[in-house]
Tab-separated table of all heavy atoms in Angstrom:
chain	number	residue	atom	x	y	z
A	1084	ALA	N	-44.199	20.718	40.756
A	1084	ALA	CA	-44.366	21.947	41.518
A	1084	ALA	C	-44.642	23.082	40.550
A	1084	ALA	O	-44.227	23.030	39.394
A	1084	ALA	CB	-43.109	22.257	42.332
A	1085	PRO	N	-45.355	24.109	41.013
A	1085	PRO	CA	-45.625	25.246	40.130
A	1085	PRO	C	-44.338	25.959	39.738
A	1085	PRO	O	-43.421	26.108	40.543
A	1085	PRO	CB	-46.528	26.151	40.971
A	1085	PRO	CG	-46.517	25.610	42.340
A	1085	PRO	CD	-46.052	24.209	42.292
A	1086	LEU	N	-44.277	26.388	38.485
A	1086	LEU	CA	-43.133	27.149	37.983
A	1086	LEU	C	-43.486	28.624	37.856
A	1086	LEU	O	-42.604	29.468	37.774
A	1086	LEU	CB	-42.711	26.603	36.619
A	1086	LEU	CG	-42.353	25.115	36.635
A	1086	LEU	CD1	-42.110	24.614	35.224
A	1086	LEU	CD2	-41.150	24.871	37.505
A	1087	PHE	N	-44.788	28.897	37.810
A	1087	PHE	CA	-45.255	30.276	37.739
A	1087	PHE	C	-46.356	30.456	38.773
A	1087	PHE	O	-47.113	29.536	39.051
A	1087	PHE	CB	-45.828	30.602	36.354
A	1087	PHE	CG	-44.824	30.523	35.243
A	1087	PHE	CD1	-44.613	29.335	34.566
A	1087	PHE	CD2	-44.097	31.644	34.875
A	1087	PHE	CE1	-43.692	29.266	33.535
A	1087	PHE	CE2	-43.174	31.582	33.845
A	1087	PHE	CZ	-42.974	30.392	33.181
A	1088	VAL	N	-46.432	31.666	39.327
A	1088	VAL	CA	-47.593	32.042	40.129
A	1088	VAL	C	-48.392	32.970	39.242
A	1088	VAL	O	-47.868	33.971	38.754
A	1088	VAL	CB	-47.173	32.761	41.421
A	1088	VAL	CG1	-48.395	33.255	42.157
A	1088	VAL	CG2	-46.347	31.841	42.294
A	1089	ARG	N	-49.631	32.624	38.974
A	1089	ARG	CA	-50.400	33.477	38.085
A	1089	ARG	C	-51.725	33.877	38.696
A	1089	ARG	O	-52.447	33.064	39.243
A	1089	ARG	CB	-50.651	32.789	36.753
A	1089	ARG	CG	-50.878	31.303	36.828
A	1089	ARG	CD	-49.933	30.647	35.845
A	1089	ARG	NE	-50.339	29.290	35.482
A	1089	ARG	CZ	-49.695	28.217	35.915
A	1089	ARG	NH1	-48.717	28.333	36.799
A	1089	ARG	NH2	-50.041	27.024	35.501
A	1090	THR	N	-52.002	35.146	38.646
A	1090	THR	CA	-53.329	35.658	38.908
A	1090	THR	C	-53.830	36.100	37.544
A	1090	THR	O	-53.120	36.003	36.559
A	1090	THR	CB	-53.270	36.849	39.871
A	1090	THR	OG1	-52.676	37.943	39.181
A	1090	THR	CG2	-52.442	36.520	41.087
A	1091	SER	N	-55.047	36.578	37.503
A	1091	SER	CA	-55.543	37.016	36.202
A	1091	SER	C	-54.861	38.308	35.772
A	1091	SER	O	-55.016	38.761	34.661
A	1091	SER	CB	-57.057	37.201	36.250
A	1091	SER	OG	-57.371	38.259	37.116
A	1092	ARG	N	-54.098	38.922	36.673
A	1092	ARG	CA	-53.466	40.193	36.328
A	1092	ARG	C	-51.960	40.115	36.223
A	1092	ARG	O	-51.320	41.015	35.715
A	1092	ARG	CB	-53.794	41.260	37.385
A	1092	ARG	CG	-55.241	41.438	37.678
A	1092	ARG	CD	-56.053	41.668	36.439
A	1092	ARG	NE	-55.818	42.965	35.821
A	1092	ARG	CZ	-56.371	43.336	34.676
A	1092	ARG	NH1	-57.171	42.498	34.033
A	1092	ARG	NH2	-56.122	44.517	34.166
A	1093	ARG	N	-51.371	39.053	36.742
A	1093	ARG	CA	-49.918	39.059	36.804
A	1093	ARG	C	-49.385	37.637	36.738
A	1093	ARG	O	-49.988	36.717	37.283
A	1093	ARG	CB	-49.471	39.717	38.121
A	1093	ARG	CG	-48.088	40.294	38.054
A	1093	ARG	CD	-47.474	40.405	39.416
A	1093	ARG	NE	-48.330	41.113	40.387
A	1093	ARG	CZ	-48.094	42.369	40.776
A	1093	ARG	NH1	-47.076	43.028	40.258
A	1093	ARG	NH2	-48.839	42.918	41.687
A	1094	VAL	N	-48.294	37.468	36.063
A	1094	VAL	CA	-47.610	36.176	36.007
A	1094	VAL	C	-46.212	36.367	36.561
A	1094	VAL	O	-45.504	37.275	36.134
A	1094	VAL	CB	-47.528	35.646	34.563
A	1094	VAL	CG1	-46.746	34.347	34.510
A	1094	VAL	CG2	-48.917	35.473	33.987
A	1095	VAL	N	-45.839	35.569	37.543
A	1095	VAL	CA	-44.522	35.689	38.167
A	1095	VAL	C	-43.846	34.325	38.173
A	1095	VAL	O	-44.516	33.302	38.360
A	1095	VAL	CB	-44.648	36.199	39.621
A	1095	VAL	CG1	-43.284	36.562	40.162
A	1095	VAL	CG2	-45.594	37.375	39.695
A	1096	LEU	N	-42.549	34.331	37.994
A	1096	LEU	CA	-41.791	33.081	38.069
A	1096	LEU	C	-41.642	32.640	39.515
A	1096	LEU	O	-41.344	33.454	40.399
A	1096	LEU	CB	-40.395	33.276	37.480
A	1096	LEU	CG	-40.178	32.855	36.048
A	1096	LEU	CD1	-38.798	33.286	35.598
A	1096	LEU	CD2	-40.334	31.364	35.906
A	1097	THR	N	-41.838	31.380	39.745
A	1097	THR	CA	-41.509	30.762	41.016
A	1097	THR	C	-39.996	30.678	41.155
A	1097	THR	O	-39.268	30.740	40.166
A	1097	THR	CB	-42.122	29.351	41.010
A	1097	THR	OG1	-43.498	29.468	41.280
A	1097	THR	CG2	-41.467	28.429	41.983
A	1098	ALA	N	-39.510	30.528	42.391
A	1098	ALA	CA	-38.067	30.341	42.583
A	1098	ALA	C	-37.606	29.125	41.791
A	1098	ALA	O	-36.583	29.159	41.088
A	1098	ALA	CB	-37.750	30.160	44.065
A	1099	LEU	N	-38.369	28.044	41.868
A	1099	LEU	CA	-38.021	26.833	41.122
A	1099	LEU	C	-38.082	27.088	39.624
A	1099	LEU	O	-37.209	26.635	38.873
A	1099	LEU	CB	-38.983	25.706	41.506
A	1099	LEU	CG	-38.694	24.356	40.869
A	1099	LEU	CD1	-37.362	23.818	41.348
A	1099	LEU	CD2	-39.807	23.378	41.177
A	1100	GLY	N	-39.094	27.816	39.197
A	1100	GLY	CA	-39.216	28.122	37.776
A	1100	GLY	C	-38.025	28.915	37.270
A	1100	GLY	O	-37.490	28.630	36.204
A	1101	ALA	N	-37.597	29.881	38.069
A	1101	ALA	CA	-36.456	30.694	37.652
A	1101	ALA	C	-35.195	29.839	37.580
A	1101	ALA	O	-34.401	29.948	36.643
A	1101	ALA	CB	-36.261	31.856	38.634
Side-chain angles (χ1 to χ4, degrees):
Chain A
L1086 302 173
F1087 296 90
V1088 174
R1089 36 232 199 252
T1090 70
S1091 66
R1092 307 308 290 176
R1093 204 203 308 255
V1094 177
V1095 191
L1096 263 173
T1097 282
L1099 183 65

